[in-house]
Amino acid sequence: MKKSLLLSILSLFFIQCISVKQKVKASKNTNIQTTETAKPKLVVGIVVDQMRYDYLTRFQSKYSDGGFMRMLKNGYNCKNNHYNYIPTYTGPGHASVYTGTTPENHGIIANDWYDKFEKKEVYCASDASQSSVGVEGQWAGKMSPHRMQTTTVTDQLRLDTQQRGKVIGIAIKDRGAILPAGHSANGAYWFYGKDKGNWITSTYYTNELPTWVKEFNAADEAEKYMTTWNTLYDINTYVESDTDLSKYEGTFKGKANATFPYDLKSLQEENGGFDILKATAYGNNLTTDFAIAAIKGENLGQDNDTDFLAVSYSSTDYVGHRFGVNSKEIQDTYLRLDQDIERLFATLDAEVGKGNYTIFLTADHAAVHVPSFLQDQKIPAGYFDSKPLKDHLKSFLNTMYGSENLIENISSGQVFLNYEEIKRLKLSTTAIENALQQELLSYDKISKVYTRTAFLNSEFTHGIAASLQRGFNQKRSGDVCFVLDIATIPYSRTGSTHGSGFNYDTHVPLLFYGNGIQKGETLQRTEITDIAPTISALLEISFPNASTGNPIESALKN
């Protein structure tokens, strides 16, 4: 009896001690919650433009403990994460990450595409009804997300919190800031380097830059990076990359070859002013500076409504396109990005509090090895000259049907037919599609061809056909879609590119870290469309309205 009474008293004592300890911990900073059961005060979505999955493993020995490795060791790593549609470009990639669906539904079918109703090329984020804010009389701010036809996880957060939860999008590329931020964002900002190297926005969001953005621009932050770009560490230790002087790399105007160091100040005038920073590791440094300014300037994560910061690192794409995926320039860019992510973590720890935020990190696409390099390694690869194709197909259709006007446009691996001409000649659209399919299959370096009729009448469940179909938007896409041979690109013989549905373009990182995230990893296939429903489930909000992905349950704590 006495033992039972003593145990009861001790139990009550320990419970009171724990309760007092929690209250004391909370009272130290009333703005920072420490309980892991609460929803995150801030979600940070990081998209690294053109990041291949193997950049995590290839450069791992040189990463610090506080950047990528912090996420790898203490977060959840989806090691077999892929894009599940074609084309793998920046615009569709960012839209798909945040909408949880593919171009079939969200409508961003490429960065630029032929609008068969307007009869012209359109850009995924352009909006002539808007004006630039932060730069006078320029097209650079005439942007909005109006071409994206579905909601994003950021939109759903705004709706769920009655617009109390803030959403901010940041990227050097306008589309990398605008599409993730969604339709209802408080702000989206991107870099304009042709003037003073300022961050700008659009009247879609505001008519005047916030004070913190004005102060950032006034401090001429971009100017401090107009210096010499040399390797972070001894270049001789960069054994994970090709030689510095390589025939597979492009370079800047005014520089004879692609070798370190790069005197950016001397190259500035010939390379678009401050825009030269975009294609260096310093573009990511500048993006991190601005993201940190946003966290502080917008007071993100400082109340009970979850906020969302969408950050896209664009410079990795510019560097990859110019120098290639096997260059010392790309390695140095990722080693420096690792330090940027560590800086971002330090800011979040200080401003929001450990355990109070959630981060995911992924990419909008990956990239192919330079085909000329692959050829020298005796690996099948090649280049495709798209210019003669249109003339060839016009001539073919003229021979068959007596008209050279049956094709309106060929772009992004799609052929757009001229419906008015088909109607005038009383021809069958299906018959023309089938004829083009057979002709394209006989064309050198084209491996697969699918028609609009096939996509409308059949459901493909796997392989390239299924990826093409998920990227096919009935209203916006063309009438015949074709796929090039593996590792064959319509690009220069230096530098890397992307766009296909093959593993080198689809396999990208997906890391989760922080509040509500389980520590671990999986080799089960996950897809890019799973990110938005996973974050929605974590936040207990509605999924984006056209989401087709599934929450990654194993990444979430019970």
Side-chain angles (χ1 to χ4, degrees):
M1 188 74 176
K2 289 181 180 178
K3 283 185 178 180
S4 298
L5 183 60
L6 181 61
L7 287 171
S8 297
I9 292 170
L10 287 172
S11 297
L12 286 171
F13 175 75
F14 283 125
I15 290 170
Q16 282 185 319
C17 286
I18 292 169
S19 177
V20 169
K21 186 178 180 181
Q22 287 177 337
K23 287 178 182 177
V24 170
K25 194 173 183 181
S27 68
K28 288 181 180 178
N29 188 341
T30 56
N31 290 326
I32 296 180
Q33 294 182 10
T34 57
T35 171
E36 289 188 5
T37 58
K39 293 180 185 179
K41 286 177 166 291
L42 176 64
V43 176
V44 180
I46 300 175
V47 177
V48 183
D49 205 321
Q50 204 188 114
M51 184 174 185
R52 292 164 55 104
Y53 179 83
D54 64 356
Y55 291 157
L56 282 179
T57 55
R58 198 170 120 206
F59 308 138
Q60 184 170 329
S61 65
K62 291 182 173 60
Y63 288 146
S64 68
D65 289 334
F68 289 120
M69 294 307 298
R70 180 169 172 178
M71 300 187 76
L72 286 168
K73 290 179 178 179
N74 301 298
Y76 194 83
N77 182 7
C78 299
K79 301 170 81 170
N80 188 23
N81 185 64
H82 289 266
Y83 274 85
N84 61 345
Y85 66 84
I86 299 170
T88 44
Y89 295 144
T90 296
H94 283 81
S96 298
V97 167
Y98 282 85
T99 63
T101 191
T102 65
E104 176 184 15
N105 296 309
H106 62 60
I108 304 298
I109 63 171
N111 292 335
D112 307 89
W113 65 87
Y114 178 72
D115 188 311
K116 49 195 170 188
F117 302 101
E118 297 184 30
K119 305 296 182 186
K120 65 178 184 179
E121 292 274 340
V122 296
Y123 175 58
C124 63
S126 64
D127 189 344
S129 69
Q130 305 299 330
S131 299
S132 300
V133 177
V135 59
E136 295 295 330
Q138 299 291 341
W139 61 268
K142 293 179 177 291
M143 303 288 167
S144 85
H146 78 105
R147 297 190 194 279
M148 185 167 60
Q149 298 175 318
T150 64
T151 65
T152 59
V153 62
T154 44
D155 285 327
Q156 298 302 149
L157 175 64
R158 293 282 287 161
L159 292 171
D160 186 77
T161 61
Q162 301 302 315
Q163 289 75 51
R164 292 189 301 272
K166 280 187 176 181
V167 171
I168 303 294
I170 290 169
I172 278 181
K173 292 182 181 178
D174 47 44
R175 57 189 179 273
I178 291 167
L179 299 174
H183 301 275
S184 300
N186 299 84
Y189 305 94
W190 51 97
F191 184 67
Y192 184 73
K194 289 183 171 61
D195 188 13
K196 297 180 180 179
N198 284 348
W199 291 80
I200 68 171
T201 190
S202 159
T203 49
Y204 180 86
Y205 305 100
T206 182
N207 290 320
E208 185 177 359
L209 290 175
T211 299
W212 67 268
V213 180
K214 290 180 179 178
E215 290 175 351
F216 190 93
N217 287 338
D220 292 329
E221 293 294 329
E223 179 65 42
K224 72 182 183 184
Y225 294 113
M226 296 303 298
T227 181
T228 298
W229 179 22
N230 211 335
T231 53
L232 182 62
Y233 307 119
D234 182 352
I235 195 169
N236 294 313
T237 68
Y238 285 27
V239 295
E240 298 82 5
S241 303
D242 198 2
T243 57
D244 191 28
L245 180 59
S246 169
K247 66 179 181 179
Y248 311 115
E249 300 176 20
T251 189
F252 294 108
K253 293 178 181 177
K255 194 170 190 307
N257 50 53
T259 56
F260 283 103
Y262 294 89
D263 182 354
L264 302 183
K265 196 72 176 176
S266 68
L267 298 169
Q268 181 177 3
E269 186 175 347
E270 290 185 75
N271 292 274
F274 286 97
D275 270 348
I276 193 174
L277 293 176
K278 294 178 179 180
T280 74
Y282 297 144
N284 293 329
N285 296 154
L286 184 62
T287 301
T288 305
D289 294 342
F290 192 73
I292 289 171
I295 291 169
K296 296 176 180 179
E298 295 286 348
N299 295 311
L300 297 179
Q302 299 302 314
D303 57 31
N304 292 325
D305 291 301
T306 302
D307 297 326
F308 206 120
L309 175 64
V311 181
S312 180
Y313 285 105
S314 307
S315 289
T316 43
D317 184 70
Y318 289 110
V319 174
H321 276 298
R322 187 178 298 268
F323 300 103
V325 305
N326 202 35
S327 63
K328 288 200 175 354
E329 285 80 1
I330 202 73
Q331 178 167 2
D332 194 67
T333 296
Y334 276 91
L335 297 182
R336 291 176 180 274
L337 176 59
D338 181 57
Q339 292 189 337
D340 280 315
I341 292 172
E342 185 171 7
R343 277 204 297 144
L344 190 59
F345 268 124
T347 301
L348 293 170
D349 289 343
E351 298 294 325
V352 185
K354 290 181 178 181
N356 290 337
Y357 59 87
T358 304
I359 291 180
F360 70 81
L361 183 148
T362 190
D364 55 350
H365 51 75
V368 67
H369 268 284
V370 178
S372 57
F373 165 77
L374 293 176
Q375 289 172 337
D376 287 346
Q377 311 309 310
K378 301 181 180 179
I379 294 173
Y383 293 91
F384 182 79
D385 187 355
S386 56
K387 292 179 180 179
L389 180 61
K390 187 171 184 179
D391 290 337
H392 175 83
L393 293 181
K394 277 188 172 183
S395 175
F396 167 73
L397 291 177
N398 186 44
T399 300
M400 283 199 70
Y401 299 106
S403 173
E404 290 187 339
N405 300 316
L406 290 169
I407 294 176
E408 281 191 357
N409 181 268
I410 300 177
S411 55
S412 296
Q414 300 181 69
V415 179
F416 293 80
L417 296 178
N418 184 339
Y419 295 154
E420 293 178 2
E421 181 73 354
I422 292 172
K423 184 178 180 180
R424 184 184 72 82
L425 296 174
K426 298 180 180 180
L427 299 174
S428 164
T429 303
T430 302
I432 296 173
E433 289 176 8
N434 290 338
L436 284 173
Q437 181 181 38
Q438 293 302 313
E439 184 62 20
L440 282 165
L441 280 171
S442 68
Y443 200 84
D444 188 36
K445 298 179 182 176
I446 291 179
S447 64
K448 296 176 178 63
V449 185
Y450 297 89
T451 66
R452 169 179 288 272
T453 300
F455 286 146
L456 295 181
N457 295 332
S458 305
E459 182 177 357
F460 298 93
T461 58
H462 64 277
I464 292 296
S467 295
L468 275 172
Q469 191 168 42
R470 293 188 198 100
F472 183 87
N473 184 278
Q474 289 192 19
K475 197 160 187 175
R476 293 181 174 177
S477 295
D479 302 284
V480 180
C481 301
F482 58 91
V483 177
L484 301 180
D485 291 344
I486 294 176
T488 298
I489 60 174
Y491 201 67
S492 67
R493 297 188 68 83
T494 59
S496 301
T497 194
H498 49 86
S500 81
F502 298 114
N503 284 334
Y504 51 76
D505 283 338
T506 68
H507 190 195
V508 297
L510 176 54
L511 304 174
F512 294 96
Y513 173 90
N515 186 298
I517 301 302
Q518 196 76 258
K519 179 180 176 181
E521 61 183 33
T522 181
L523 274 170
Q524 294 293 315
R525 181 182 171 97
T526 57
E527 295 179 337
I528 211 71
T529 50
D530 296 334
I531 297 173
T534 301
I535 296 299
S536 297
L538 174 68
L539 299 180
E540 298 181 337
I541 62 176
S542 297
F543 291 8
N545 60 16
S547 176
T548 52
N550 297 298
I552 304 169
E553 289 187 62
S554 58
L556 301 176
K557 289 182 178 178
N558 294 330

